DNA sequence: GTCTATATATTGATAGAC
DNA sequence: GTCTATCAATATATAGAC
């Protein structure tokens, strides 16, 4: 059977199950690969420094073919950032233990470190490329970011109200906590002196001390 | 007198004191203006996104004239970063109170916030454009950054040795402290709910709690 | 769904006039 | 010290063949 016939003729999808797919067809898998390549390259070199050709080359397709998966470069960036923050919010909702405020604080600290260490590229982009967003996307991302900041803020407010925590200012305490925890991404490397669990434990203790938990 | 004569004829420098300078002559002041424009634009849009033409336009000269002040764009960036970190180290040496470890910790926290809030553009560049540096410049900047990290590390080590502080790991405590303090730059704005002194006070307290100062 | 070819704009850096 | 003109490279995005 000639390759040209394979490529040119439409066939019912089921015919390809378990078979080598014709090389021109990657329905459903190229999209995610474009996304992954963009995330990796944007994090490594910065949005402005990465060309659509670089992304295409990383995926293994031509530059023109990229535009079947995103209308433009800007949309590629803004979708990465929005999806990252929405996933972050959903993930916390799924693990929030509720109840005791000190327990929630510790759970938040451990969750934040774990989630962020698992996605260093997305985290870096979400913090560094805000300036590369057009106004509309920027506003949407800011809203999501503020919703996440409200999480530790709520925990601290409850903790102070319950007399379990002492902090000069709840809002500042939340910002300080997030900055401290996110900072782990700048130095942690797998295989280093301390593993993730040890790091989580140490930071959870510092988080407690920071807000006056005796 | 014709403008062409003013521009074309060399004159002793003293002749221009107190007079309007001929428009083509800015000896000694254009250099710093190039530097300032680059710092502002790199911080706002990112190194890769800023063109030499943009910098020149901001200064009010043509693109070609820029190359009298820097051999290339990369040198402009690396000099900004190195100078910033050297100034940071010198500034701490000038205010380090020495002696009591808890007093030094508080002094460091206040100093770090103050110094960084005064130079938001340089700080942002120093943290975000490491990836834009060529290997040689990168190594030099990393060395300076590590020297600064050694400051809080030394304070914590002394504090733990003196039994005044408790921290799970000295190195992690130093990194957490720096990240927490630098984070102020992401949200602080003059004229907001709290002024700089109030912010310094609150963060100094959180810093103490973080390392177990009772 | 991918390719090649291309339109149009912009980039960093240099040369030479004044 | 600044200007104008320019080179060679590269950018995003589109059009149309297969």
């Amino acid at each position: 059977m000639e390759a040209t016939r394979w490529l040119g003729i439409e066939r019912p999808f089921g015919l390809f199950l378990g078979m080598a797919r014709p090389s021109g067809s990657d329905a459903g898998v190229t999209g995610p690969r474009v996304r992954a390549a963009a995330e990796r390259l944007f994090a490594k070199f910065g949005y402005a420094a990465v060309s659509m050709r670089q992304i295409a080359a990383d995926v293994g397709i031509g530059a023109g073919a990229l535009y079947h998966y995103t209308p433009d470069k800007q949309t590629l960036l803004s979708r990465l950032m929005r999806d990252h923050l929405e996933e972050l919010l959903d993930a916390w909702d799924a693990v929030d233990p509720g109840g005791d405020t000190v327990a929630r604080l510790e759970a938040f600290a451990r969750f934040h470190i774990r989630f962020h260490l698992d996605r260093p590229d997305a985290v870096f982009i979400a913090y560094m490329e805000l300036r590369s967003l057009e106004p509309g996307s920027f506003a949407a991302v800011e809203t999501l970011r503020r919703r996440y900041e409200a999480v530790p803020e709520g925990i601290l407010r409850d903790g102070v109200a319950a007399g379990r925590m002492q902090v000069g200012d709840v809002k500042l305490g939340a910002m300080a906590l997030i900055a401290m925890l996110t900072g782990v991404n700048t130095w942690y490397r797998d295989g280093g002196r301390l593993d993730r669990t040890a790091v989580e434990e140490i930071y959870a203790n510092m988080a407690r001390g920071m807000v006056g938990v005796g």
Side-chain angles (χ1 to χ4, degrees), chain A:
Chain A
M1 200 176 291
E2 293 177 42
T4 50
R5 290 179 60 89
W6 270 102
L7 293 171
I9 296 173
E10 287 228 333
R11 292 166 183 279
F13 186 76
L15 263 182
F16 298 115
L17 288 178
M19 304 165 62
R21 302 285 292 286
S23 68
S25 170
D26 279 322
V29 321
T30 305
R33 300 214 317 144
V34 167
R35 212 189 121 93
E39 181 170 289
R40 199 178 60 80
L41 293 170
F42 287 166
K44 188 164 185 179
F45 302 108
Y47 173 77
V50 174
S51 70
M52 293 298 267
R53 280 174 179 78
Q54 261 181 280
I55 297 171
D58 194 271
V59 174
I61 60 178
L66 272 186
Y67 292 85
H68 285 279
Y69 303 99
T70 179
D72 50 40
K73 193 185 173 189
Q74 170 73 204
T75 302
L76 204 45
L77 174 66
S78 65
R79 202 161 311 179
L80 280 175
M81 293 177 70
R82 265 205 293 252
D83 289 353
H84 167 68
L85 289 170
E86 279 163 4
E87 193 191 359
L88 172 64
L89 284 161
D90 291 346
W92 168 250
D93 285 343
V95 304
D96 182 358
D100 181 79
T101 58
V102 173
R104 281 188 85 205
L105 175 70
E106 286 201 32
F108 177 80
R110 292 173 189 273
F111 160 79
H112 186 99
I113 290 174
R114 205 176 318 129
F115 187 93
H116 284 64
L117 280 184
D118 280 340
R119 298 159 183 81
D121 289 345
V123 169
F124 197 71
I125 292 170
Y127 275 80
M128 305 284 290
E129 299 296 355
L130 285 169
R131 63 188 173 192
S132 302
L133 290 174
E134 284 163 3
S137 308
F138 179 81
V141 167
E142 277 293 285
T143 299
L144 291 168
R145 198 179 54 79
R146 294 225 170 87
R147 274 180 51 201
Y148 185 65
E149 289 168 5
V151 169
E153 204 178 322
I155 295 173
L156 265 52
R157 180 163 26 245
D158 293 348
V160 170
R164 306 280 306 278
M165 300 177 188
Q166 294 168 9
V167 59
D169 185 272
V170 165
K171 183 89 186 162
L172 267 61
M175 297 306 286
L177 180 61
I178 288 176
M180 177 183 87
L181 299 173
T182 305
V184 174
N185 272 48
T186 65
W187 57 263
Y188 180 86
R189 297 294 175 266
D190 278 321
R193 185 166 55 88
L194 298 164
D195 66 18
R196 295 184 184 213
T197 306
V199 171
E200 284 177 31
E201 177 73 15
I202 292 168
Y203 270 77
N205 281 335
M206 290 193 286
R208 283 214 321 260
M210 210 175 97
V211 297
V213 173

